[in-house]
């Protein structure tokens, strides 16, 4: 792995104890994002101290840096759903086989991925017990038990938990892992209208998680029949796009389950007129995958880039003592700066470690994605100013101490916006509208996010999948955006030539 | 209003026809229209029958009529605590909707009301942990058995309870994986990778997770196949620092228990017999439940180098020498909720300390058909808003199907600390009636409390604080009056036979500790930090003893 020297900012500081620094920690990125995206990603998540690899393939240790982002998203989402009258609960990790298999389509989707407890201590269990891959089948027998009359509705529950899916396809930290953290909401209503409405309200919260917090543009839309949740009525999602790999990535899903599960689990209620009704259900989830998408979209050759809103450290203050400088005064200025920022509600940290050079520290905190760095050296002290360096674009600004708090606040906001705008520009530049199969294939090979008129037939999607099958996977529908461009009459499906019914996004995906 | 006040000291079991004030019993559902946003919450009766006895006729209007005519108990009535403690406990968690049995025997579902208590515990502790710079992280749930085997006593202690995954994704796994029973081993693996130098120390982390222990005899909240907890893990440069940390954590738990959940726990050190598998020393907080049994409510372990040696976690000291790190771990779990129930609950049901109560105040409007209900509801809503804005957790029971008397009993069973009653009279007088959960009947009532915002908020806040304190004081005196100082084995036997805790000088062997357990079912709960002065002689052997120990039967 390269040392920091290759990518340190141009500050004239020379690392004082270079040899020792080398011994201390490996710093810097060996792989560039453009050169080998996969390796770059693995390196970023480890070097930025988000992930530690583990003995079991596909299971990862989520370090404080990652969990603090997860907690920030929770701190937004949890109060929002509570405002909607959704309550948190916790259902068990363990499911018996017969419960798991109650809903056939549903279990066909998950059965191949289930992990089974077969022993306790030394003895074999009489029947193996599954670890939840998702909780529909764990929860719904209780919905049936708890819901009796129309006054028990709506029943709206959510849980924050871990799930296990024993997949064998290429594991990737955050994006595809055998265990991950998520929230899963499960709700039941008396009418379809209420269920429909909630699906969209939740989807809007997911959009805000991505766009307002993670600074990632997403497309809201509806999944095709082939891609919808197994056993559900319809699935909506927010879809993100990774320009470097030209792949779409499902950001979060909000499903209307219709009455299918209600039928299987007999979730009935007596309506206000004494008649029998069957509930309408939704389920919805987002997971730690959010963090992976953030790394992929914003990260660069220096490492992680964190949107200020989710950064556990938003500003790091680093003293830059030249030879013979008044280190005590510099340190004091750094301390008071950090304190001031913290007092003003920002999350500032101070790096006064003496065994590392300022240059090493710059690389270190850049690697960890901290949005802003404040450097204070003797000259800054003289002029009563500080140097601010932005992580997102490397811009350096000298700011008078008196205006620092205000300025930092402003710049953090601007970084948050800038990250979103740049991500959106890049994403939009990848969108290509196609009308024919040839155009489609060309765009696919150019790693585009393809918007095409489609006949909305399952067989056609299967056919497209078969025809585009390659080592890197096949193309499929990502979603039909709610925001539909005009579809002139006579427009035909790019793949089948049949009359097109809607515009749909296509691409390879994670 | 007045006629109701007389009668509202009726206990659950006083809800007989003749005792129901006529104006309440005959109170028809008010004709007011509920606001379109009003969404009924799920609550037990009559929405569904008592568990296990599915109600065949959940039709509501009939039920509302029934309460005044049927001498039978409301469906949410619990077995009195004084009659059968265990049945009472099960009834309370069932009927207050704290938990339900999970699909696999021995697992449990945290229903929203139960989970909210856990969230309140989390919210408090999470802030405390962050203040002392423990950082949250998440370690995988599945742990290779070979990790757990690395520390010999650890595997010995946990092996019988391990749930083991051998199949995944349709294939046999190459190596069996344990579902985490606790995370010392995987933490040690992590520490090994991240600790190199003294500069990396102390390393302090925490995680909020589920853990699994395949227990044979389970009991909701107390012993389950799966439960929720937090586990702190720390690594230090010296034994002394680790020891300091272990003590800091047990004291943090003690403060939490006293201040937030009004549990007057006794802090102390476990005997070697009872020390955590893999620790050099275990500290504990022990609480006395309403049945006088002890409940181990939290533990903090000094792990010494017991894990760092097998995991080879070494660091370079300032002088360049290499040394194994010194570790600690500490945890409290959802078991605390069981402790809250069994400490404060009474014959009527749950009684929640205000600081931890999901609902601190319930507002019950007293309908009266001769009165304009809209203005009553408006007044109640105003009061609700005033209290909510002041940060108090309030529930306005607008339900139009049950009588106020029914609601009083229902919310008492759910353990809500304060109830505000608002009747037509009160609306006119711009006042409310306040009832305390912890003082039954009229004695716990205060009339004519002003609705004026600041007066009401101050009143409610100070009442809640007072209740919090009363619950603690009550638990302290209960605890103290049930600990007997013993100076002979005979006295211990007698104290234990009376169901009490025995405290006496102890320096006997592990074999003798086992003998006490066999003969009396009491175990050595701890050597309390608070020790009496003076010379002591072991009550078992008569030999000199350094410390007194507490023995008790436990949950």
């Amino acid at each position: 792995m390269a040392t920091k020297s290759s990518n340190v900012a141009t500050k004239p500081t020379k690392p004082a104890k270079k040899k020792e620094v080398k011994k201390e920690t490996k710093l810097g990125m060996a792989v560039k994002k453009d050169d080998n995206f996969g390796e770059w990603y693995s390196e970023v998540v480890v070097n930025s101290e988000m992930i530690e690899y583990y003995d079991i393939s596909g299971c990862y240790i989520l370090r404080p840096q990652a969990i603090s982002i997860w907690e920030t998203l929770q701190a937004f989402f949890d109060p929002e759903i509570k405002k909607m009258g959704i309550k948190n609960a916790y259902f068990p990790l363990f499911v018996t086989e017969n419960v798991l298999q109650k809903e056939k389509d549903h279990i066909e989707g998950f059965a191949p991925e289930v992990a089974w407890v077969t022993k306790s201590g030394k003895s074999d269990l009489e029947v193996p017990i599954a670890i939840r891959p998702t909780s529909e089948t764990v929860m719904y027998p209780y919905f049936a038990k708890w819901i009796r009359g129309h006054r028990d509705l709506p029943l709206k529950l959510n849980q924050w938990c871990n799930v296990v899916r024993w997949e064998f396809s290429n594991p990737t930290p955050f994006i595809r892992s055998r265990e991950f953290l998520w929230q899963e909401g499960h709700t039941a209503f008396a009418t379809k209208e209420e269920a429909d409405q909630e699906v969209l309200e939740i989807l809007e919260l997911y959009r805000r998680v991505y766009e307002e917090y993670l600074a990632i543009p997403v497309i809201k839309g509806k999944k095709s029949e082939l891609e919808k949740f197994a056993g559900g009525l319809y699935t909506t999602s927010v879809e993100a796009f990774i320009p470097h790999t030209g792949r779409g990535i499902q950001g979060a899903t909000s499903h209307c389950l219709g009455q299918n599960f209600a039928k299987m689990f007999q979730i009935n209620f007596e309506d206000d007129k004494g008649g029998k009704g069957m509930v309408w259900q939704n389920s919805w989830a987002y997971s730690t995958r959010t963090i992976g998408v953030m790394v992929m979209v914003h990260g660069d050759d220096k490492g992680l880039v964190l949107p200020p809103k989710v950064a556990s450290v938003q500003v790091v203050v680093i003293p830059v003592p030249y030879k013979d400088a008044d280190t005590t005064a510099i340190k004091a200025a750094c301390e008071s700066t950090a304190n001031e920022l913290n007092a003003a509600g920002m999350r500032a940290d101070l790096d006064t470690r003496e065994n590392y050079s300022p240059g090493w520290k710059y690389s270190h905190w850049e690697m960890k994605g901290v949005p802003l760095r404040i450097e204070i050296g003797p000259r800054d002290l003289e002029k009563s100013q500080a140097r601010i360096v932005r992580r997102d674009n490397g811009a350096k600004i000298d700011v008078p101490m008196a205006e620092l708090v205000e300025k930092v606040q402003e710049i953090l906001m601007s970084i948050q916006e800038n990250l979103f705008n740049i991500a959106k520009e890049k994403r939009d530049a990848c969108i290509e509208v196609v009308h024919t199969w040839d155009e489609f294939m060309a765009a696919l090979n150019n790693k585009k996010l393809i918007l095409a008129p489609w006949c909305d037939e399952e067989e056609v999607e299967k056919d497209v999948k078969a025809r585009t099958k390659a080592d890197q996977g096949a193309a499929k529908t990502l979603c039909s955006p709610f925001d539909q461009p005009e579809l002139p009459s006579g427009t035909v499906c790019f793949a089948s030539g049949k009359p097109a019914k809607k515009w749909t996004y296509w691409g390879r995906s994670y | 209003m007045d006629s109701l006040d007389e009668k509202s000291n009726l206990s659950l079991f006083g809800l007989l026809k003749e005792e129901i004030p006529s104006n309440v019993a005959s109170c028809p559902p008010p004709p007011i229209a509920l606001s379109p946003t009003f969404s009924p919450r799920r609550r037990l009766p009559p929405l569904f029958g008592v568990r296990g006895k599915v109600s065949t006729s959940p039709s509501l209007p009939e039920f509302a009529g029934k309460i005044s005519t049927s001498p039978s108990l409301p469906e949410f009535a619990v077995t009195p605590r004084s009659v059968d403690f265990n049945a009472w406990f099960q009834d309370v968690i069932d009927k207050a909707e704290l938990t339900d049995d999970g699909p696999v025997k021995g697992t449990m579902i945290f229903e929203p009301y139960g989970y909210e208590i856990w969230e309140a515990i989390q919210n408090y502790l999470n802030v405390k942990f962050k203040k002392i710079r423990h950082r949250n992280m998440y370690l995988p749930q599945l742990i290779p058995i070979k990790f757990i085997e690395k520390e010999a006593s650890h595997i010995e202690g946990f092996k019988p309870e391990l749930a083991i995954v051998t199949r995944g994704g349709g294939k046999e796994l190459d190596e069996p994986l344990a579902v985490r029973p606790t995370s010392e081993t995987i933490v040690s693996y992590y520490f090994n990778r991240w600790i190199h130098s003294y500069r990396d120390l102390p390393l302090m982390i925490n995680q909020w997770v589920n853990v699994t222990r395949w227990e044979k005899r389970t009991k909701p909240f107390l012993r389950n196949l799966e439960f929720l907890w937090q586990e702190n893990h720390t690594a230090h440069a010296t034994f002394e620092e680790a020891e300091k940390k272990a003590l800091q954590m047990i004291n943090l738990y003690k403060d939490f228990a006293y201040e937030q959940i009004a549990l007057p726990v006794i802090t102390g050190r476990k005997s070697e017999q009872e020390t955590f598998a893999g620790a050099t020393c275990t500290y504990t907080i022990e609480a006395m439940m309403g049945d006088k049994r002890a409940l181990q409510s939290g533990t903090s372990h000094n792990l010494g180098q017991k894990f760092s040696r097998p995991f080879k976690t070494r660091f370079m000291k300032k002088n360049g020498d290499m040394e194994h790190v010194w570790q600690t771990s500490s945890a409290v779990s959802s078991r605390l909720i069981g402790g809250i129930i069994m400490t404060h609950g009474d014959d009527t049901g749950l009684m929640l300390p205000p600081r931890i109560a999901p609902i601190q105040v319930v507002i019950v409007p007293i309908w009266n058909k001769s009165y304009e209900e809209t203005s009553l509801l408006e007044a109640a809503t105003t009061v609700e808003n005033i209290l909510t804005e002041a940060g108090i957790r309030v529930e306005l029971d607008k339900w139009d199907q049950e009588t106020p008397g029914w609601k009083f009993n229902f919310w008492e069973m759910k353990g809500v600390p304060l109830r505000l009653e608002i009747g037509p009279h009160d609306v006119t007088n711009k006042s409310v009636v306040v009832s305390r959960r912890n003082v039954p009947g009229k004695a716990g009532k205060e009339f004519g409390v002003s609705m004026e915002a600041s007066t009401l908020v101050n009143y409610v806040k100070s009442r809640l604080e007072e209740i919090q304190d009363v619950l603690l004081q009550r638990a302290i005196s209960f605890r103290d009056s049930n600990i007997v100082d013993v100076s002979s084995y005979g006295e211990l036997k007698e104290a234990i036979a009376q169901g009490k805790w025995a405290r006496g000088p102890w320096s006997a062997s592990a074999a003798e500790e086992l003998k006490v357990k066999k003969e009396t079912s009491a175990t050595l709960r701890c050597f309390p930090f608070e020790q009496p002065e003076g010379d002591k002689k072991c009550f078992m052997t008569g030999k000199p003893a350094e410390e007194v120990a507490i023995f008790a039967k436990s949950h």
Side-chain angles (χ1 to χ4, degrees):
Chain A
M1 228 175 277
T3 54
K4 46 131 222 104
S5 52
S6 57
N7 49 28
V8 152
T10 49
K11 263 275 189 183
T13 332
K14 281 182 186 149
K17 306 171 190 167
K18 202 165 174 183
K19 266 187 182 165
E20 194 193 317
V21 168
K22 263 187 181 171
K23 248 195 289 174
E24 285 293 341
T25 324
K26 295 177 209 164
L27 253 198
M29 299 281 301
V31 189
K32 291 201 180 327
K33 195 176 183 182
D34 285 340
D35 293 349
N36 186 332
F37 186 82
E39 276 182 35
W40 168 86
Y41 180 79
S42 310
E43 210 185 336
V44 174
V45 293
V46 171
N47 289 9
S48 64
E49 301 182 2
M50 294 223 278
I51 287 284
E52 176 64 63
Y53 281 86
Y54 180 48
D55 256 31
I56 306 170
S57 158
C59 293
Y60 306 96
I61 294 170
L62 304 181
R63 303 183 64 190
Q65 168 97 324
I67 286 299
S68 81
I69 296 171
W70 184 239
E71 288 177 336
T72 304
L73 301 183
Q74 280 187 301
F76 159 71
F77 191 78
D78 199 63
E80 287 295 332
I81 58 172
K82 281 179 177 159
K83 271 187 234 162
M84 291 169 64
I86 293 152
K87 296 206 162 195
N88 283 337
Y90 183 81
F91 285 73
L93 176 73
F94 298 114
V95 205
T96 51
E97 194 165 10
N98 59 339
V99 169
L100 190 68
Q101 295 187 337
K102 194 122 185 188
E103 211 292 328
K104 206 167 143 281
D105 287 343
H106 177 67
I107 198 55
E108 268 176 20
F110 286 103
E113 300 174 357
V114 173
W116 295 92
V117 174
T118 59
K119 284 174 153 182
S120 73
K122 279 182 189 160
S123 44
D124 289 337
L125 297 181
E126 274 173 41
V127 284
I129 285 170
I131 296 181
R132 67 177 160 228
T134 177
S135 301
E136 277 77 6
T137 58
V138 185
M139 290 189 180
Y140 298 164
Y142 294 91
F143 277 49
K145 179 178 172 190
W146 292 341
I147 296 169
R148 290 278 182 263
H150 62 98
R151 297 198 321 182
D152 297 326
L153 296 172
L155 179 57
K156 303 197 274 190
L157 300 178
N158 176 63
Q159 70 178 2
W160 296 95
C161 64
N162 63 330
V163 286
V164 172
R165 296 180 186 175
W166 216 256
E167 297 186 67
F168 289 96
S169 52
N170 202 18
T172 308
F174 297 120
I175 302 294
R176 174 169 285 113
S177 52
R178 285 174 169 177
E179 184 194 6
F180 55 88
L181 304 181
W182 76 351
Q183 60 67 219
E184 46 178 327
H186 296 269
T187 54
F189 300 88
T191 64
K192 180 167 185 293
E193 289 68 34
E194 290 169 89
D196 285 339
Q197 190 193 335
E198 191 206 57
V199 165
L200 295 182
E201 278 175 42
I202 292 292
L203 196 67
E204 171 62 9
L205 290 179
Y206 290 150
R207 183 197 67 75
R208 292 178 62 193
V209 163
Y210 275 94
E211 299 198 338
E212 290 179 14
Y213 283 79
L214 300 169
I216 296 165
V218 289
I219 297 163
K220 281 188 190 179
K222 197 174 158 185
K223 288 279 184 188
S224 69
E225 279 302 300
L226 205 58
E227 291 294 322
K228 76 174 186 188
F229 185 67
L233 182 62
Y234 65 87
T235 291
T236 66
S237 70
V238 291
E239 299 284 330
F241 186 73
I242 311 296
H244 273 82
T245 54
R247 283 174 192 268
I249 184 159
Q250 181 175 296
T253 46
S254 180
H255 315 287
C256 178
L257 302 179
Q259 295 183 309
N260 191 22
F261 285 88
K263 228 171 270 167
M264 291 300 157
F265 290 91
Q266 298 184 342
I267 313 175
N268 303 315
F269 68 99
E270 190 167 318
D271 64 27
D272 47 0
K273 293 171 197 76
K276 277 273 170 203
M278 190 181 282
V279 301
W280 293 85
Q281 289 176 277
N282 292 340
S283 73
W284 28 271
Y286 79 90
S287 73
T288 36
R289 171 177 266 209
T290 44
I291 301 171
V293 181
M294 180 202 73
V295 176
M296 288 184 166
V297 168
H298 299 307
D300 64 16
D301 290 345
K302 289 180 185 173
L304 190 62
V305 178
L306 289 173
K309 272 197 177 179
V310 298
S312 60
V313 178
Q314 295 172 314
V315 185
V316 60
V317 185
I318 299 175
V320 191
Y322 289 72
K323 254 182 200 166
D324 310 323
D326 180 355
T327 49
T328 325
I330 292 175
K331 231 182 182 176
C334 286
E335 263 168 41
S336 70
T337 301
N339 289 343
E340 250 179 80
L341 294 172
N342 280 321
M346 284 168 273
R347 300 186 284 271
D349 205 349
L350 184 65
D351 189 349
T352 54
R353 290 177 289 179
E354 276 166 10
N355 56 314
Y356 296 107
S357 69
W360 186 95
K361 290 178 187 174
Y362 299 167
S363 303
H364 174 76
W365 293 103
E366 279 171 355
M367 171 76 73
K368 290 180 83 163
V370 173
L372 266 193
R373 172 173 88 230
I374 294 181
E375 307 165 6
I376 302 178
R379 220 168 301 154
D380 300 308
L381 206 57
E382 232 168 71
K383 293 187 191 165
S384 187
Q385 65 174 30
R387 168 158 288 195
I388 299 182
V389 185
R390 285 172 66 143
R391 175 67 182 89
D392 62 333
N393 59 15
K396 300 184 167 96
I397 316 143
D398 290 332
V399 179
M401 279 294 189
E403 298 164 23
L404 196 67
V405 167
E406 203 181 321
K407 200 76 189 163
V408 167
Q409 233 149 11
E410 203 182 291
I411 295 174
L412 286 175
M413 253 148 71
S414 127
I415 292 175
Q416 182 80 28
E417 254 170 59
N418 187 46
L419 285 176
F420 178 80
N421 290 339
I422 286 177
K424 188 161 187 305
E425 264 170 43
K426 284 188 185 163
R427 199 261 332 253
D428 288 351
C430 291
I431 297 177
E432 193 158 315
V433 177
V434 307
H435 288 89
T436 67
W437 181 256
D438 288 347
E439 285 173 5
F440 176 80
M441 284 309 293
L444 189 65
N445 292 332
N446 283 328
K447 298 180 176 178
K448 296 295 184 186
L449 172 55
I450 303 164
L451 184 60
W454 181 39
C455 60
D456 197 10
E457 286 179 17
E458 212 173 314
E459 286 312 310
V460 174
E461 184 173 358
K462 281 185 185 160
D463 183 51
V464 172
K465 272 186 156 177
R467 287 158 78 187
T468 55
K469 203 161 189 178
D471 289 346
Q472 66 270 42
K476 61 182 188 183
T477 59
L478 303 174
C479 75
S480 297
F482 291 147
D483 189 7
Q484 285 275 322
E486 201 196 330
L487 189 69
S489 65
T491 310
V492 295
C493 168
F494 76 99
S496 69
K498 294 178 191 171
K501 286 188 185 141
K502 53 167 77 157
W503 289 96
T504 298
Y505 281 105
W506 295 76
R508 295 204 164 91
S509 77
Y510 280 93
Chain B
M1 205 41 234
D2 292 347
S3 66
L4 181 68
D5 294 328
E6 306 248 312
K7 296 295 181 187
S8 51
N9 61 348
L10 3 134
S11 79
L12 217 43
F13 308 98
L15 251 188
L16 302 175
K17 184 185 175 186
E18 57 276 17
E19 287 190 59
I20 302 286
S22 58
N23 67 328
V24 172
S26 62
C27 172
I32 59 151
L34 295 169
S35 70
T37 55
F38 175 71
S39 94
R41 75 196 153 268
R42 192 173 67 80
R43 34 195 286 184
L44 200 99
L47 306 182
F48 37 94
V50 172
R51 293 201 182 129
K53 271 196 284 176
V54 172
S55 154
T56 47
S57 162
S59 160
L60 296 169
E62 280 172 41
F63 184 87
K66 258 181 207 164
I67 201 163
S68 57
T69 54
S70 157
S72 67
L73 297 174
E75 290 180 59
F76 56 78
V78 299
T79 307
R81 199 183 95 160
S82 48
V83 172
D84 182 339
F85 195 85
N86 289 329
W88 166 84
F89 180 72
Q90 188 61 48
D91 274 2
V92 167
I93 57 177
D94 264 0
K95 291 172 184 176
E97 299 182 316
L98 297 173
T99 71
D100 203 338
D101 294 333
V104 174
K105 196 174 169 293
T107 62
M108 73 175 194
I109 293 162
F110 288 73
E111 293 185 65
Y113 200 55
Y115 196 77
E116 276 169 332
I117 299 175
W118 182 238
E119 286 181 314
I121 293 172
Q122 285 188 304
N123 289 340
Y124 175 90
L125 287 176
N126 211 26
V127 171
K128 291 284 175 196
F129 294 157
K130 284 185 179 171
K131 262 195 192 144
I132 56 171
R133 303 188 80 85
H134 288 212
R135 301 187 73 191
N136 283 344
M137 65 183 294
Y138 185 81
L139 294 145
Q141 177 170 45
L142 298 174
I143 304 175
I145 300 283
K146 64 170 190 264
F147 275 25
I148 298 179
E149 284 168 345
K150 281 200 176 185
E151 209 289 317
S153 60
H154 192 64
I155 183 69
E156 199 185 310
F158 280 102
K159 180 120 197 198
E161 297 177 2
L162 288 182
I164 299 167
V165 176
T166 62
R167 245 165 60 207
K171 290 184 188 169
E172 290 299 312
L173 302 184
D174 294 337
E175 61 173 331
L177 303 173
V179 186
R180 82 178 141 236
T182 179
S183 304
E184 277 75 10
T185 56
I186 181 170
V187 165
S188 299
Y189 167 91
Y190 173 79
F191 281 178
N192 170 279
R193 298 180 72 124
W194 283 97
I195 297 169
H196 305 291
S197 134
Y198 67 94
R199 291 192 202 95
D200 301 322
L201 298 172
L203 186 55
M204 301 181 291
I205 59 140
N206 174 60
Q207 63 173 356
W208 293 95
V209 294
N210 55 346
V211 283
T212 296
R213 297 185 188 169
W214 219 264
E215 308 243 19
K216 290 215 169 57
R217 287 195 318 175
T218 58
K219 190 168 185 179
F221 287 123
L222 304 189
R223 264 185 315 282
N224 297 96
L225 261 49
E226 183 198 8
F227 56 93
L228 301 179
W229 80 351
Q230 61 69 216
E231 43 181 327
N232 291 289
H233 297 273
T234 67
H236 306 268
T238 64
F239 171 82
E240 290 72 25
E241 271 182 61
E243 181 65 11
K244 217 170 123 189
K245 172 57 70 178
L247 289 169
Q248 178 191 27
M249 295 318 294
I250 204 67
N251 283 318
L252 190 152
Y253 292 152
K254 182 197 75 181
D255 292 345
F256 162 75
Y258 268 85
E259 289 167 20
Q260 296 296 308
I261 56 178
L263 233 58
V265 293
I266 289 178
T267 45
R269 191 186 79 250
K270 285 283 182 191
S271 71
E272 259 173 56
Q273 287 290 300
E274 303 278 337
T275 293
F276 174 77
T280 60
C281 179
T282 291
Y283 299 111
T284 178
I285 49 172
E286 299 284 327
M288 184 186 285
M289 300 295 101
D291 62 354
K292 298 179 213 136
R293 281 179 184 258
L295 185 74
Q296 178 179 304
S297 306
T299 48
S300 175
H301 315 291
N302 186 339
L303 303 174
Q305 295 178 319
K306 288 204 173 189
F307 286 89
S308 62
R309 286 182 182 277
F311 281 89
K312 300 189 173 66
T313 311
R314 300 195 303 165
F315 71 101
M316 191 191 280
K317 298 183 5 181
K318 268 186 188 164
N319 64 11
D321 291 351
M322 297 299 287
E323 186 175 346
H324 289 98
V325 298
W326 300 85
Q327 289 175 230
T328 79
S329 66
S330 48
V332 294
S333 74
S334 44
R335 166 176 260 220
L336 283 173
I337 301 172
I340 295 168
I341 301 167
M342 292 193 293
T343 301
H344 303 299
D346 64 7
D347 280 355
T348 310
L350 198 57
M351 194 185 305
L352 292 173
R355 290 198 188 147
I356 214 86
I359 301 170
Q360 296 172 310
V361 177
V362 61
I363 304 170
V364 180
I366 315 292
W367 310 115
N368 181 333
K369 68 175 166 185
S370 65
Y371 192 77
E372 181 66 45
E373 271 85 2
T374 318
S375 64
L376 186 59
L377 197 56
E378 266 171 20
T381 307
T382 307
V383 170
E384 181 192 20
N385 292 338
I386 288 171
L387 295 178
T388 304
E389 268 166 39
I392 296 160
R393 299 185 285 276
V394 193
E395 176 94 14
L396 168 55
D397 190 346
K398 301 190 233 189
W399 214 254
D400 56 355
Q401 304 279 343
E402 291 99 17
T403 63
W406 186 99
K407 288 179 183 179
F408 292 178
N409 290 310
F410 178 75
W411 292 109
E412 278 172 10
M413 183 275 294
K414 297 266 275 190
V416 176
L418 271 190
R419 175 176 75 231
L420 305 190
E421 302 155 20
I422 304 177
H425 240 28
D426 303 303
V427 175
T428 319
N429 297 338
K430 295 205 175 343
S431 68
V432 297
V433 179
V434 182
S435 294
R436 277 171 288 167
R437 169 67 179 87
N438 61 321
V439 184
K442 204 168 180 177
K445 275 192 185 239
E446 185 140 344
F447 300 91
V449 176
S450 168
M451 268 188 206
E452 192 273 316
S454 66
T455 316
L456 184 66
V457 166
N458 285 337
Y459 179 89
V460 166
K461 280 191 172 169
S462 65
R463 270 281 179 255
L464 290 174
E465 281 307 301
E466 182 194 308
I467 294 170
Q468 181 82 27
D469 191 51
V470 167
L471 292 189
L472 178 64
Q473 295 311 326
R474 185 191 283 182
I476 289 175
S477 50
F478 180 77
R479 179 197 68 187
D480 291 346
S481 61
N482 285 299
I483 300 180
V484 180
D485 284 307
V486 300
S487 53
S488 70
Y489 186 38
E491 285 176 16
L492 175 134
K493 281 184 178 165
E494 199 187 320
I496 298 298
Q498 289 171 2
K500 299 192 171 187
W501 290 16
R503 177 173 52 199
W506 180 264
S507 60
S509 65
E512 275 152 323
E513 190 180 327
L514 200 64
K515 177 182 152 191
V516 176
K517 186 177 174 179
K518 270 194 179 151
E519 292 180 1
T520 69
S521 308
T523 47
L524 200 164
R525 301 316 303 160
C526 69
F527 295 97
F529 290 160
E530 238 175 73
Q531 287 283 333
E533 307 219 336
D535 290 340
K536 305 175 194 72
K537 273 188 189 159
C538 175
F539 69 76
M540 185 62 97
T541 62
K543 289 178 189 157
E546 294 276 315
E547 298 167 290
V548 296
I550 291 175
F551 286 82
K553 288 185 189 171
S554 72
H555 278 283

